[in-house]
Amino acid sequence: MDKSHLQQLVTIAGEKSILTAKSDILCYSYDSSLESQLQQYLPSAVFIPDKAEAIPPVMSFCHQHAIPVIPRGAGTGQAGGAVAKYGGLIIDLSRLNRIIEIDTDNLQVIVEPGVVHADLNQALAPLGFSFPPDPGSTKMATIAGMISYNASGMRAMKYGTTREYVLGLDVVLSDGREIRTGGVACRSLKTVSGYDLTKLFVGAEGTLGIITRARLKIMPLPEKKGIAIAAFNQLGDAGRAVVEVFRNKIVPSAIEILDKSAIKAACLYKPSIKLPTDVAAVLFFEVDGPAAAVSYQAQRVAEICAPIAAHVEWTDAPEQVKVLWEARGVVGAASGRVRPGATRVYIGEDICVPITNVGAALEGIQRIGEKYDTIIVTYGHVADGNFHSAPVIDLESEEEIRRVRLVANEIHELALMLNGTVTGEHGVGLVRDQYMEREHGAALEVMRTIKNALDPKNILNPGKMALGGR
Amino acid sequence: MDKSHLQQLVTIAGEKSILTAKSDILCYSYDSSLESQLQQYLPSAVFIPDKAEAIPPVMSFCHQHAIPVIPRGAGTGQAGGAVAKYGGLIIDLSRLNRIIEIDTDNLQVIVEPGVVHADLNQALAPLGFSFPPDPGSTKMATIAGMISYNASGMRAMKYGTTREYVLGLDVVLSDGREIRTGGVACRSLKTVSGYDLTKLFVGAEGTLGIITRARLKIMPLPEKKGIAIAAFNQLGDAGRAVVEVFRNKIVPSAIEILDKSAIKAACLYKPSIKLPTDVAAVLFFEVDGPAAAVSYQAQRVAEICAPIAAHVEWTDAPEQVKVLWEARGVVGAASGRVRPGATRVYIGEDICVPITNVGAALEGIQRIGEKYDTIIVTYGHVADGNFHSAPVIDLESEEEIRRVRLVANEIHELALMLNGTVTGEHGVGLVRDQYMEREHGAALEVMRTIKNALDPKNILNPGKMALGGR
């Protein structure tokens, strides 16, 4: 962006809303992905609107001058989606964080893009409701970030992903035009009127428009939760247990897995956690619903797992549920502990495979780690085959960085070989675009056609998702 | 289509697959909508492929010569979506009706487009699984028809619509190119890799491509079902009861409503059905899940409704559930009975409003019926505010036809006034395109941009959804 454009932007947006000093914009040059931490993607400027109406004129100006625009929430993404690959203007939406309306009678809320997920659920909990998608980054991730990457987390198998809960969006298009998807005045929970543009903007990673408002479906909170834990000597047995539970007509609200390395990490992080350490994997089954169903289902899951598992327990006592669940809760933060002084990095961290390939995927990841002499802690959402593998490396070692990139590539290749996908919930961004052609074949051309139709100048988050660079 | 084109089509597709005799193609000139029964939309020819591979060359040919192509399943649609507004070629997909693979371990099936919904669920039931969307036309509707209109039916509030269960599609594009959405080799349940093209083709009413194969998510069947029935003296009370049930953290698998006229219709149709006839509406709450939860929830729903309702009962005894559910089951077929010799017609039959406007919508529909001296039977899926109002008219009377069109228009206007939508699950087709501009505002232009990008010659089901005529 040249100086005169920048000057004009300041005039349009107001001086207080535009950051240009390097010290101010440095923290916008990366997200949680390893790649963006190794290579600095510095924007030319950052725009922090304090109201949604400030965005269209800025967008129009950028369109006129073909300046890249990159929407950004909390920067918790792990795919480099919210960094400026080709410079330009980052729009930081985090100040637009008002919950505009809570309408429990109609099972919906209206929010600004920068509302933090945990804040929304904190506001809903006393009313007995929740916005069910539940990413690990709940305390930081913004709603529009979740929408842009179709975040899901632990409860997607039973409750679906973010996409299923987005009823309508206000979007500023690449040329500054404003639209509302899902009907301009609509407040109903269902519609098949016209193309479902809402669902297209969900998961579009900011390449089709800037989300400035969202109408979301909410659900009554379940009455109660229960948990069953089962430990397995073979990874394949864990996969079989999951299949058996579904066969027995039980749909848990979450099924989480910790492999050997993740169990070790959790125990090192918090020695009070009691997990069997001599097993290949532990499964956590969460069940929810009316109290009577919860006890029954938790116990049934334990019974179903018993013949296959090395160890089983279950509870529906709230305090005990919390204790048992803790090991799963800490594993993300704990991953680094398996190697003192080293760092858990986000790369190749989000593959998703069919349930029957869960065992093969976990074994494959361990094998890849051994091949490249890299410690990998793996945990994830086994109900839908989505794993987060966490390499733990010395960030000062160029050799380890070289190796971890090979690790990530092989993990992605493994996912595709196992009829999976390179990303279950984190997105493509700039770190997984090289797999798009192979994963999607001719369909990638259709994605590019849509991108080109809605953003012919390719100014919205360019260089992401293999949709075309500059 | 001129004679030479037709001759070439016969050569490409094979004589046995192309119908041109008027007697053969007459039944393709309408669907279930009143409009298509009043005005004949005759195609130039009908193509009935016996394998999916036969479609791309035909599509290429039609693209080359700008011949309209209209995909069609069972013709059960109620919006004129599957008729040839501008002549051209109908592709009848009903012979492509193989269930290609049932993969319960991975919670998915792969089917051809013409598989009938009930046939799929009949194949899944002995295995303990189901494809949850449940349209009233289950015994006729094809899967690709359900996908093209995003069918849902009674269980959408708890289980979602067809869209939520479509994991991937094989699609022939307007120029004959073939793509597979959701990943060419993917069999996982979740992915955020690239734009979600799958969800865009769902609900596109055949205007973006021809669906030739679908990969669908299935779910374990619930262990048990229960039912609670509550009768109300005021329509508004029925709406309040629904809100109260959600507030009590109960998510029924279905909440159905019959208004006064629908109760009358059901009782006339089957006198053995015992429903209170002196009330404004009856609500049917279906709950499902583990046995213990079902009794508890059915009873709780009854308790919650009791203070508001005139009459309440509940059961979880399978035989009794069937008996109580019967009244809801027959109401569609029964509608005509309220006026002997007259016919139930499909027009203005699918509005959807916010839950809090359910009472106002039902009262409004009754008022409109009185204004135009037209009997309207109304029932529907009250959990998501979706009503099917059934005018019962003398089809021989031009005056009644004139009036019922005014009725439908006012019902659609009412829906928009009540922050609803003109169609909850039946689609826009050619009968609701005049409301698109008002319902979607500037977003309609974006739909047209996408349509134009993917079908620049506008040959795929032209003249539907307000996407442009010829």
Side-chain angles (χ1 to χ4, degrees):
Chain A
M1 203 182 328
D2 67 30
K3 269 208 163 152
S4 114
H5 285 157
L6 198 54
Q7 199 43 57
Q8 289 175 68
L9 252 182
V10 168
T11 310
I12 294 168
E15 204 167 345
K16 277 190 286 189
S17 302
I18 298 273
L19 305 179
T20 55
K22 192 165 177 194
S23 56
D24 288 336
I25 62 177
L26 205 56
C27 61
Y28 291 94
S29 70
Y30 56 87
D31 65 1
S32 297
S33 65
L34 175 62
E35 282 310 328
S36 72
Q37 287 163 4
L38 294 175
Q39 181 181 337
Q40 207 176 64
Y41 294 96
L42 214 57
S44 312
V46 174
F47 170 39
I48 314 181
D50 54 10
K51 55 180 191 292
E53 299 75 51
I55 297 171
V58 168
M59 198 68 226
S60 285
F61 177 81
C62 290
H63 182 256
Q64 199 183 333
H65 301 286
I67 298 165
V69 173
I70 303 94
R72 186 178 169 106
T76 54
Q78 297 170 6
V83 300
K85 183 161 180 188
Y86 299 105
L89 184 71
I90 281 185
I91 303 190
D92 173 350
L93 296 157
S94 61
R95 255 189 230 165
L96 304 178
N97 61 357
R98 283 183 311 141
I99 297 173
I100 297 170
E101 188 184 344
I102 295 180
D103 179 3
T104 55
D105 286 358
N106 287 311
L107 300 171
Q108 56 199 275
V109 295
I110 294 176
V111 298
E112 288 191 327
V115 168
V116 169
H117 177 255
D119 292 344
L120 175 59
N121 272 340
Q122 213 166 353
L124 290 172
L127 308 170
F129 289 83
S130 91
F131 175 66
D134 190 15
S137 52
T138 171
K139 287 182 183 161
M140 296 170 286
T142 63
I143 294 295
M146 289 180 63
I147 292 171
S148 296
Y149 295 83
N150 191 27
S152 44
M154 299 202 285
R155 301 191 173 86
M157 171 61 211
K158 180 166 179 180
Y159 289 106
T161 65
T162 295
R163 180 172 277 117
E164 278 81 78
Y165 294 88
V166 187
L167 299 170
L169 293 171
D170 283 9
V171 179
V172 179
L173 300 174
S174 71
D175 57 6
R177 269 183 300 156
E178 296 168 77
I179 61 165
R180 173 166 297 169
T181 69
V184 285
C186 191
R187 292 295 284 271
S188 73
L189 286 168
K190 202 170 83 174
T191 175
V192 291
S193 173
Y195 293 159
D196 196 339
L197 297 179
T198 308
K199 307 297 195 237
L200 181 63
F201 286 105
V202 177
E205 304 194 2
T207 64
L208 296 178
I210 311 285
I211 296 167
T212 57
R213 200 187 88 133
R215 183 164 67 94
L216 307 172
K217 180 176 168 179
I218 57 174
M219 293 286 274
L221 275 168
E223 249 185 59
K224 202 176 172 182
K225 292 183 178 192
I227 194 170
I229 296 188
F232 300 88
N233 288 325
Q234 305 287 335
L235 287 172
D237 291 344
R240 280 205 296 135
V242 171
V243 168
E244 280 305 314
V245 166
F246 288 132
R247 275 197 192 143
N248 279 274
K249 304 188 178 184
I250 293 174
V251 182
S253 47
I255 311 178
E256 297 291 300
I257 192 164
L258 304 195
D259 81 351
K260 213 179 180 66
S261 61
I263 297 167
K264 189 176 162 194
C267 295
L268 280 170
Y269 185 78
K270 194 149 187 185
S272 62
I273 286 174
K274 295 276 169 285
L275 280 179
T277 49
D278 53 345
V279 293
V282 172
L283 286 182
F284 296 71
F285 295 86
E286 183 195 77
V287 294
D288 68 2
V294 165
S295 331
Y296 166 78
Q297 290 188 102
Q299 186 175 357
R300 270 302 285 148
V301 169
E303 286 167 11
I304 293 162
C305 290
I308 323 172
H311 169 84
V312 179
E313 60 185 308
W314 72 274
T315 182
D316 63 345
E319 265 317 300
Q320 200 54 24
V321 167
K322 227 166 130 184
V323 170
L324 287 184
W325 199 241
E326 197 180 12
R328 170 61 187 92
V330 301
V331 70
S335 302
R337 292 298 174 97
V338 293
R339 186 179 163 197
T343 307
R344 180 246 173 112
V345 292
Y346 292 95
I347 182 168
E349 83 294 341
D350 186 41
I351 64 164
C352 186
V353 300
I355 299 170
T356 49
N357 286 342
V358 157
L362 288 169
E363 281 160 12
I365 292 168
Q366 287 184 357
R367 211 167 42 237
I368 293 165
E370 283 156 22
K371 176 174 169 189
Y372 292 102
D373 194 16
T374 300
I375 293 175
I376 306 177
V377 174
T378 302
Y379 57 95
H381 319 310
V382 74
D384 45 28
N386 184 201
F387 298 113
H388 301 316
S389 31
V392 183
I393 67 167
D394 175 3
L395 269 176
E396 302 294 304
S397 160
E398 279 187 31
E399 168 58 15
E400 291 202 25
I401 287 170
R402 188 190 68 82
R403 288 207 312 261
V404 81
R405 282 177 166 147
L406 297 173
V407 163
N409 183 54
E410 288 211 16
I411 290 176
H412 287 136
E413 297 281 344
L414 175 72
L416 294 177
M417 208 188 65
L418 293 175
N419 302 110
T421 171
V422 294
T423 177
E425 57 183 12
H426 291 172
V428 177
L430 52 77
V431 302
R432 282 182 268 269
D433 55 348
Q434 68 267 38
Y435 306 103
M436 289 300 97
E437 187 95 41
R438 200 169 130 207
E439 185 163 345
H440 298 291
L444 180 56
E445 209 38 61
V446 175
M447 297 179 200
R448 287 174 177 157
T449 301
I450 291 170
K451 165 70 172 172
N452 186 51
L454 294 182
D455 179 19
K457 291 188 174 182
N458 191 19
I459 59 170
L460 277 165
N461 208 3
K464 309 292 172 70
M465 301 178 91
L467 294 170
R470 288 173 72 87
Chain B
M1 203 181 328
D2 66 30
K3 270 209 162 149
S4 112
H5 285 157
L6 198 55
Q7 198 43 56
Q8 289 175 68
L9 253 181
V10 169
T11 310
I12 294 168
E15 205 169 346
K16 278 190 285 188
S17 300
I18 298 275
L19 305 178
T20 54
K22 192 166 175 191
S23 56
D24 288 335
I25 63 176
L26 205 57
C27 61
Y28 291 93
S29 69
Y30 56 87
D31 65 1
S32 297
S33 64
L34 175 62
E35 282 309 329
S36 72
Q37 287 164 3
L38 295 175
Q39 183 182 334
Q40 208 176 63
Y41 294 96
L42 214 58
S44 312
V46 174
F47 170 39
I48 315 182
D50 54 11
K51 55 180 190 294
E53 299 75 50
I55 297 172
V58 169
M59 197 70 225
S60 285
F61 177 81
C62 291
H63 182 256
Q64 200 183 333
H65 301 287
I67 298 166
V69 173
I70 304 94
R72 185 178 170 106
T76 54
Q78 297 171 5
V83 300
K85 183 161 180 190
Y86 299 106
L89 184 71
I90 281 185
I91 303 189
D92 174 349
L93 297 158
S94 60
R95 255 189 230 164
L96 304 178
N97 61 357
R98 283 184 311 143
I99 296 172
I100 298 170
E101 189 184 343
I102 295 179
D103 180 2
T104 55
D105 286 359
N106 286 310
L107 300 172
Q108 55 199 276
V109 295
I110 294 176
V111 298
E112 288 190 327
V115 169
V116 170
H117 177 256
D119 292 345
L120 176 59
N121 273 339
Q122 215 168 350
L124 291 171
L127 308 169
F129 289 83
S130 90
F131 175 66
D134 190 16
S137 53
T138 170
K139 288 183 183 159
M140 297 171 286
T142 63
I143 294 296
M146 289 180 63
I147 292 171
S148 296
Y149 295 83
N150 190 27
S152 45
M154 299 203 285
R155 302 192 173 84
M157 170 62 210
K158 179 165 180 181
Y159 289 106
T161 65
T162 294
R163 181 173 275 115
E164 278 80 78
Y165 293 88
V166 187
L167 299 170
L169 294 171
D170 282 11
V171 179
V172 179
L173 300 175
S174 72
D175 57 5
R177 268 184 300 156
E178 297 168 77
I179 62 166
R180 175 166 295 170
T181 69
V184 285
C186 190
R187 292 295 284 271
S188 73
L189 286 169
K190 203 170 82 173
T191 175
V192 292
S193 173
Y195 293 160
D196 195 339
L197 297 179
T198 308
K199 307 297 195 236
L200 180 63
F201 286 105
V202 177
E205 305 194 1
T207 64
L208 296 178
I210 312 284
I211 295 167
T212 58
R213 201 186 88 133
R215 183 164 67 93
L216 307 171
K217 179 175 167 179
I218 58 174
M219 293 286 274
L221 275 167
E223 249 184 61
K224 204 175 171 182
K225 292 184 178 191
I227 193 172
I229 295 189
F232 300 88
N233 288 324
Q234 306 285 336
L235 287 172
D237 291 344
R240 279 206 295 135
V242 171
V243 169
E244 279 306 314
V245 166
F246 288 132
R247 275 196 191 143
N248 279 274
K249 303 189 180 182
I250 293 175
V251 182
S253 47
I255 312 179
E256 296 291 301
I257 193 165
L258 304 194
D259 81 352
K260 212 179 181 69
S261 61
I263 297 168
K264 190 176 160 194
C267 294
L268 280 170
Y269 185 78
K270 194 149 188 185
S272 62
I273 286 173
K274 296 274 169 287
L275 280 178
T277 50
D278 53 345
V279 294
V282 172
L283 285 183
F284 296 71
F285 295 86
E286 184 196 75
V287 295
D288 69 3
V294 165
S295 331
Y296 166 78
Q297 289 189 100
Q299 186 176 357
R300 271 301 286 147
V301 168
E303 287 167 10
I304 293 161
C305 290
I308 322 172
H311 169 84
V312 179
E313 60 187 309
W314 72 273
T315 182
D316 63 346
E319 265 315 299
Q320 199 54 24
V321 167
K322 226 165 133 187
V323 170
L324 288 183
W325 198 241
E326 197 180 14
R328 171 61 188 89
V330 301
V331 70
S335 301
R337 292 297 174 98
V338 293
R339 185 179 163 200
T343 307
R344 179 245 172 113
V345 292
Y346 292 95
I347 182 167
E349 83 294 343
D350 187 42
I351 65 165
C352 187
V353 300
I355 299 170
T356 49
N357 286 342
V358 157
L362 288 170
E363 281 161 12
I365 292 168
Q366 287 184 357
R367 211 166 43 239
I368 293 166
E370 284 156 22
K371 176 174 168 190
Y372 291 102
D373 194 16
T374 299
I375 294 174
I376 306 177
V377 174
T378 302
Y379 57 96
H381 319 310
V382 74
D384 45 30
N386 185 200
F387 298 114
H388 301 317
S389 31
V392 183
I393 67 166
D394 174 2
L395 268 177
E396 302 293 304
S397 160
E398 278 188 30
E399 166 59 15
E400 291 200 25
I401 287 169
R402 188 190 68 81
R403 289 208 311 263
V404 83
R405 283 178 165 145
L406 296 173
V407 162
N409 183 53
E410 287 210 17
I411 290 176
H412 287 135
E413 297 282 343
L414 175 72
L416 294 177
M417 206 187 67
L418 294 174
N419 302 111
T421 170
V422 294
T423 178
E425 57 183 13
H426 291 172
V428 176
L430 50 78
V431 303
R432 282 182 269 268
D433 55 347
Q434 67 267 38
Y435 307 103
M436 289 301 95
E437 186 95 42
R438 200 168 131 209
E439 185 161 344
H440 298 290
L444 179 57
E445 208 40 60
V446 176
M447 297 180 201
R448 288 174 177 157
T449 301
I450 291 170
K451 165 70 172 172
N452 187 52
L454 293 182
D455 179 20
K457 291 188 175 182
N458 191 19
I459 59 169
L460 278 166
N461 208 4
K464 309 291 172 69
M465 300 178 90
L467 294 171
R470 286 174 75 86

